[in-house]
Amino acid sequence: MRFYSTNKKVPSVSFKEAVIKGLPDDNGLFMPEIIPHFSDEFLRKLPQLTFQEIAFESAKLIIEDEISENELLSIIEGAFNFDVPLRNVHDNIHVLELFHGPTLAFKDFGARFMARVMGHFLKSDAKEINILVATSGDTGSAVAQGFLGVEGIKVTLLYPKGKVSKIQEQQLTTLGQNVTALEVGGTFDDCQHLVKTAFLDQELNKKLNLSSANSINIARLLPQSFYYTYAHSKLSDTSGNTYFCVPSGNLGNLCGGLLAKKMGVPIAGFIAASNANNIVPEFFRTLEFSPRASVQTISNAMDVGNPSNFSRLLDIYDHDYQRIIADIKGISFNDDQTRALITEVYEQHNYLMCPHTAIGYGGLKHFLNPGDSGIFISTAHPCKFIDVVEPLISEKIEIPLRLQKIIKQEKQAISMTKEFANFKSFLLENN
Ligand SMILES: *Cc1c(COP(=O)(O)O)cnc(C)c1O
């Protein structure tokens, strides 16, 4: 399989090149030239397959022979060594819990797969790789966890000062080893801008082997399709249509679902749900894409003003806007509505959700018809947003042991302004 840039100004590359480079030179995003289709036989036997088996088959169709079957199998077994439960919340509404990995958020799927794929490709290369990650909260810790201690790889995390939760900050700043955290005086978009500018900077690229690991790397996108295929196949009542509702920020998660559908999984449609940063729902309503500065909300991992995977979404539909709005609906919830959803579902159905997940529930409930089945994606464990969630339910949330340990460790972060010149000299001095 070859991978092209969505800006179409550079030649296509192999999977290895796409993964190592992260971002094409023309500032587009890598996409597979062909989105392959599952065989009918595979689709028929889906309900009997494990998550790992589905992941293997899906990955093989896209990566083809660039990674041997044995290697691919061990990458998948290493990356997805945790549960992916699909639970019924009430009636025809189900939740797919993607927070059972080490950082308790769905970013573990993409980050752990990508880290192992990169590790595999770099085994034979001598030159050290510098991975730059802008994070609005969860990306950074998932990526850093995935790469922790991997030889030949250095990770630099950029997060917006004061705009991530206390627990997220602890997860970002206590890893040590080959991971450095930069606390940037600015927004997530400023962090993302610094990283994008670094990739376009000739001097940096000449001196450092830069690679990206945020949601724009193709190796993070692919595994985000596996769990849609898996969840769809595990629904017991398949008499009606099945819809997924995805709490959306940069649209990486949603694009994973769109890939699964295009590969042949009979998903009827999607709902993209956002917070007050409603650029994406506005697009599905009006077909106008108007990026703008992000605002801060209680679902901060979705505080995105310029969703970076938007061009992938357009390419998946060959820029056919009518097909896009036939498949995807958009909706947004403000912070008060989000809090009300958390309380409502906890009181009525005894199910506790993080603020992002609550937005997913709200979107599904709004659009789902009685005869159909719906799955909303739970993107993080509620305890990661304890300051928001605990006051709403007036009960103590139990924090998993692995998180309790991290909370007690000392924060280690370097302060950084949002000026590119400062970031650049930091990178040059520290590598
Ligand atoms: C990253 C993240 C999202 C948004 O996912 P995108 O792929 O950026 O759309 C939602 N919820 C949580 C908890 C996240 O970490």
Side-chain angles (χ1 to χ4, degrees):
M1 181 75 71
R2 304 289 295 174
F3 291 78
Y4 72 95
S5 162
T6 52
N7 278 353
K8 310 216 167 74
K9 295 198 184 101
V10 289
S12 66
V13 297
S14 66
F15 182 60
K16 175 176 175 176
E17 288 168 284
V19 171
I20 303 296
K21 250 188 114 49
L23 202 66
D25 289 333
D26 64 358
N27 210 10
L29 301 174
F30 286 119
M31 279 295 274
E33 281 192 333
I34 297 162
I35 295 177
H37 206 279
F38 291 124
S39 69
D40 290 345
E41 191 204 341
F42 175 75
L43 289 171
R44 252 196 317 276
K45 67 179 189 204
L46 266 179
Q48 281 87 53
L49 300 184
T50 64
F51 182 85
Q52 283 77 6
E53 287 167 331
I54 290 173
F56 177 76
E57 203 59 32
S58 311
K60 206 174 65 174
L61 272 183
I62 291 183
I63 300 171
E64 296 177 338
D65 56 4
E66 269 190 73
I67 300 179
S68 75
E69 292 203 350
N70 277 343
E71 279 285 352
L72 187 58
L73 205 61
S74 77
I75 287 171
I76 281 169
E77 280 170 357
F80 311 119
N81 57 354
F82 48 85
D83 285 347
V84 191
L86 178 70
R87 299 184 199 283
N88 180 256
V89 177
H90 65 86
D91 304 300
N92 54 347
I93 293 189
H94 308 262
V95 59
L96 181 64
E97 291 185 352
L98 300 181
F99 57 70
H100 295 272
T103 70
L104 303 117
F106 91 95
K107 301 282 193 320
D108 283 329
F109 285 84
R112 291 171 70 76
F113 183 75
M114 179 188 61
R116 282 160 181 76
V117 167
M118 277 190 168
H120 165 75
F121 282 141
L122 295 172
K123 257 188 264 177
S124 48
D125 293 7
K127 203 170 160 197
E128 189 176 67
I129 289 262
N130 283 276
I131 292 179
L132 307 179
V133 191
T135 179
S136 56
D138 281 328
T139 318
S141 54
V143 168
Q145 264 286 347
F147 282 112
L148 192 64
V150 175
E151 251 177 73
I153 293 182
K154 251 185 179 175
V155 181
T156 304
L157 299 170
L158 294 86
Y159 71 95
K161 181 183 166 83
K163 296 192 173 63
V164 301
S165 77
K166 174 82 182 127
I167 291 177
Q168 283 176 332
E169 185 167 36
Q170 285 297 110
Q171 285 186 309
L172 294 170
T173 58
T174 59
L175 286 156
Q177 297 186 57
N178 53 338
V179 179
T180 307
L182 302 183
E183 185 176 17
V184 177
T187 62
F188 168 65
D189 291 325
D190 293 324
C191 297
Q192 209 166 25
H193 185 71
L194 286 177
V195 170
K196 283 199 167 186
T197 313
F199 281 113
L200 300 172
D201 186 280
Q202 290 194 347
E203 188 189 358
L204 279 179
N205 275 283
K206 205 153 53 189
K207 295 193 173 151
L208 311 176
N209 209 357
L210 294 182
S211 185
S212 83
N214 58 27
S215 58
I216 58 184
N217 193 300
I218 189 69
R220 294 211 32 207
L221 186 67
L222 298 185
Q224 291 174 182
S225 76
F226 306 162
Y227 46 73
Y228 288 91
T229 308
Y230 174 75
H232 187 275
S233 75
K234 294 297 170 272
L235 265 188
S236 43
D237 178 11
T238 51
S239 51
N241 288 322
T242 302
Y243 293 85
F244 279 92
C245 184
V246 189
S248 294
N250 269 315
L251 292 175
N253 200 349
L254 179 68
C255 281
L258 300 178
L259 276 186
K261 179 169 163 65
K262 201 161 179 184
M263 290 174 81
V265 182
I267 298 165
F270 295 87
I271 300 147
S274 80
N275 55 33
N277 298 283
N278 61 352
I279 293 89
V280 168
E282 280 301 304
F283 170 75
F284 295 123
R285 265 203 297 272
T286 64
L287 292 179
E288 297 280 340
F289 183 63
S290 317
R292 54 171 192 265
S294 59
V295 297
Q296 202 177 338
T297 72
I298 57 170
S299 46
N300 63 38
M302 310 196 312
D303 293 352
V304 177
N306 189 1
S308 52
N309 283 289
F310 186 67
S311 58
R312 280 188 171 132
L313 185 147
L314 293 181
D315 274 20
I316 290 171
Y317 283 96
D318 305 317
H319 295 243
D320 182 338
Y321 282 26
Q322 293 313 313
R323 269 172 52 221
I324 292 176
I325 53 172
D327 274 6
I328 314 168
K329 307 273 172 268
I331 190 167
S332 67
F333 296 90
N334 66 29
D335 282 353
D336 285 341
Q337 292 170 317
T338 306
R339 288 194 188 90
L341 286 164
I342 295 172
T343 312
E344 174 195 313
V345 174
Y346 188 67
E347 283 175 358
Q348 294 178 14
H349 308 291
N350 197 28
Y351 188 74
L352 188 59
M353 306 178 294
C354 90
H356 313 78
T357 305
I359 285 173
Y361 172 84
L364 189 62
K365 182 126 188 268
H366 181 84
F367 283 109
L368 194 66
N369 293 317
D372 295 332
S373 294
I375 299 172
F376 65 101
I377 306 273
S378 177
T379 50
H381 192 294
C383 78
K384 291 192 83 171
F385 302 88
I386 197 162
D387 299 346
V388 176
V389 175
E390 228 170 44
L392 296 173
I393 61 166
S394 34
E395 263 173 59
K396 281 256 167 262
I397 304 179
E398 202 176 317
I399 299 181
L401 205 62
R402 60 189 190 278
L403 210 58
Q404 287 182 27
K405 281 189 193 148
I406 292 168
I407 294 170
K408 291 194 193 103
Q409 284 167 21
E410 197 185 328
K411 164 182 165 183
Q412 286 181 316
I414 295 167
S415 291
M416 181 64 55
T417 67
K418 62 181 178 186
E419 270 68 55
F420 179 68
N422 293 340
F423 178 52
K424 181 174 172 176
S425 36
F426 169 84
L427 287 176
L428 289 172
E429 280 158 27
N430 286 275
N431 285 288

